[in-house]
Amino acid sequence: MEDFKRLCDDVYAKGMKIIIDCVYNHTSPDSVLAKEHPDWFYHKKDGSFGNKVGDWSDVIDLDYSHRDLWKYQAETLVMWAKYVDGFRCDVTPMVPVEFWKYAREEVAKVRPGAIWLAESGAPDFIRFLRSKGAVGGSDSELYQAFDMTYDYDIYPDLRAALLGKKDLTTWLA
């Protein structure tokens, strides 16, 4: 932690800001959190840990139906917000937007104006999640809690405009 604090001091001395990556959808199966709070995780029908996306076999998903998990996760963000300017949040569509709104309110108590970037998902991924009964927040929903997203919702139109196949004013409308 002392190394991290020194890094922050050095970055700030150069006039830059710091955003750290946060993974709040899943953890490693051997994480401390899985050992201490196994009830906070998604479990398959057989009771074992699992995840909602089958090809992510090296991680297990958190289960945000547990309000104590919300408090724990928000507390960790608040702790980091004492040192950094914001967060790039991994796989945000799979975490309830209501959690992100709550976490943002908690962080604002120690870091007003923190920067929030959501790694959102392409519309096909969101539809897939929803078809499996999983949380799947779209870019437009994530903007309730985030300043920026990867803007997958508009990507096809933007790409077409950049390739000259569509007028940019159509994308802006």
Side-chain angles (χ1 to χ4, degrees), residues 1-8 79-80 82-83:
M1 193 63 193
E2 293 306 313
D3 288 342
F4 185 78
K5 289 177 188 178
R6 261 191 313 282
L7 172 68
C8 291
M79 187 274 301
W80 287 112
K82 293 173 184 171
Y83 306 102

Side-chain angles (χ1 to χ4, degrees), residues 97-152:
V97 173
E98 291 304 316
F99 164 76
W100 292 121
K101 289 165 57 176
Y102 164 72
R104 186 172 182 142
E105 288 174 12
E106 294 300 305
V107 165
K109 294 174 185 175
V110 298
R111 179 70 71 173
I115 301 161
W116 290 81
L117 169 61
E119 180 206 23
S120 52
D124 288 346
F125 180 62
I126 303 307
R127 282 191 290 277
F128 167 75
L129 291 172
R130 291 176 179 178
S131 75
K132 300 293 182 194
V135 172
S138 67
D139 284 351
S140 56
E141 291 168 317
L142 292 171
Y143 272 117
Q144 295 175 61
F146 288 87
D147 301 308
M148 300 173 282
T149 75
Y150 284 24
D151 284 332
Y152 284 108

Side-chain angles (χ1 to χ4, degrees), residues 1 14 19-20 23 25-26 29 34 46 73 85 92 96 103 116-117 119 126 138 140 142 150-151 156 163 167 173:
M1 193 63 193
K14 293 180 179 0
I19 298 175
I20 59 171
V23 182
N25 172 65
H26 53 267
D46 67 5
Q73 296 288 67
D85 300 290
T92 56
W116 290 81
L117 169 61
E119 180 206 23
I126 303 307
S138 67
S140 56
L142 292 171
Y150 284 24
D151 284 332
L163 293 172
D167 189 295

Side-chain angles (χ1 to χ4, degrees), residues 11-164:
V11 168
Y12 290 133
K14 293 180 179 0
M16 297 185 289
K17 294 190 180 281
I18 301 170
I19 298 175
I20 59 171
D21 194 51
C22 297
V23 182
Y24 279 50
N25 172 65
H26 53 267
T27 73
S28 169
D30 62 352
S31 69
V32 171
L33 197 58
K35 288 176 179 41
E36 293 179 359
H37 297 282
D39 54 313
W40 290 356
F41 287 83
Y42 171 78
H43 291 85
K44 297 185 282 190
K45 289 181 183 176
D46 67 5
S48 64
F49 288 134
N51 61 64
K52 296 170 209 87
V53 179
D55 61 346
W56 294 352
S57 60
D58 60 333
V59 298
I60 54 176
D61 286 354
L62 289 157
D63 178 356
Y64 278 84
S65 69
H66 301 280
R67 288 300 221 184
D68 287 341
L69 173 62
W70 288 40
K71 184 177 177 193
Y72 175 88
Q73 296 288 67
E75 286 173 358
T76 63
L77 287 164
V78 167
M79 187 274 301
W80 287 112
K82 293 173 184 171
Y83 306 102
V84 302
D85 300 290
F87 306 99
R88 181 266 185 198
C89 301
D90 191 69
V91 196
T92 56
M94 295 183 71
V95 176
V97 173
E98 291 304 316
F99 164 76
W100 292 121
K101 289 165 57 176
Y102 164 72
R104 186 172 182 142
E105 288 174 12
E106 294 300 305
V107 165
K109 294 174 185 175
V110 298
R111 179 70 71 173
I115 301 161
W116 290 81
L117 169 61
E119 180 206 23
S120 52
D124 288 346
F125 180 62
I126 303 307
R127 282 191 290 277
F128 167 75
L129 291 172
R130 291 176 179 178
S131 75
K132 300 293 182 194
V135 172
S138 67
D139 284 351
S140 56
E141 291 168 317
L142 292 171
Y143 272 117
Q144 295 175 61
F146 288 87
D147 301 308
M148 300 173 282
T149 75
Y150 284 24
D151 284 332
Y152 284 108
D153 287 356
I154 62 163
Y155 177 72
D157 290 332
L158 178 59
R159 180 174 167 75
L162 293 173
L163 293 172

